[in-house]
Amino acid sequence: MPSARDEPLLMGEIDELHRRMDALEAQVHELTEQQAATRHLAVNSDRDVAALQEQRRADIQLLQALRQTQLEQGKILEAHSKALEAHGKTLLEHSQVLGVLVSGQVAIMEHLGINPPEATAAGG
């Protein structure tokens, strides 16, 4: 008994095989295009990642430079604060000395019978 494979293909079967072959070729073509698009996206993604990594390195360098600048400025500010505190103490000492000198001058002027300038301006 002959099998179905031994019989010649009928015209309808050949047409069906052509249709299926065309469908497979179209799918292969579509998959090839998708693969090319995927490859293109992968290449672009690699470039994007490389650019982001480069930007990240630049940002880190910038932050490190800013940190160093802040540390240096902090030391300068600390030195200025100490100098300002010392100047404040000196100013207070000078004010106290001037107060003593003015008191002595007023006492001398009173002893000589001269009115201090504040008393003259207030009375005048």
Side-chain angles (χ1 to χ4, degrees), residues 1 5-6 19 30 43 47 49 51-52 60-61 64 74 81 86 104-105 112 121:
M1 169 153 73
R5 291 183 182 221
D6 292 339
R19 188 189 61 73
E30 184 179 330
V43 167
R47 288 180 190 151
V49 167
L52 287 172
I60 288 172
Q61 287 177 345
Q64 288 172 340
S81 294
Q105 187 178 14
L112 295 174

Side-chain angles (χ1 to χ4, degrees), residues 18-32:
H18 280 299
R19 188 189 61 73
R20 290 176 66 190
M21 177 78 86
D22 290 343
L24 283 173
E25 287 175 349
Q27 286 179 350
V28 168
H29 179 71
E30 184 179 330
L31 289 173
T32 303

Side-chain angles (χ1 to χ4, degrees), residues 53-70:
Q53 287 174 339
E54 183 179 335
Q55 183 62 47
R56 182 179 166 270
R57 282 190 290 274
D59 290 345
I60 288 172
Q61 287 177 345
L62 175 64
L63 288 172
Q64 288 172 340
L66 286 172
R67 180 181 181 277
Q68 185 61 36
T69 300
Q70 284 183 328

Side-chain angles (χ1 to χ4, degrees), residues 4-21:
R5 291 183 182 221
D6 292 339
E7 295 177 14
L9 293 174
L10 299 176
M11 195 58 154
E13 291 174 333
I14 292 174
D15 289 342
E16 174 65 17
L17 286 175
H18 280 299
R19 188 189 61 73
R20 290 176 66 190
M21 177 78 86

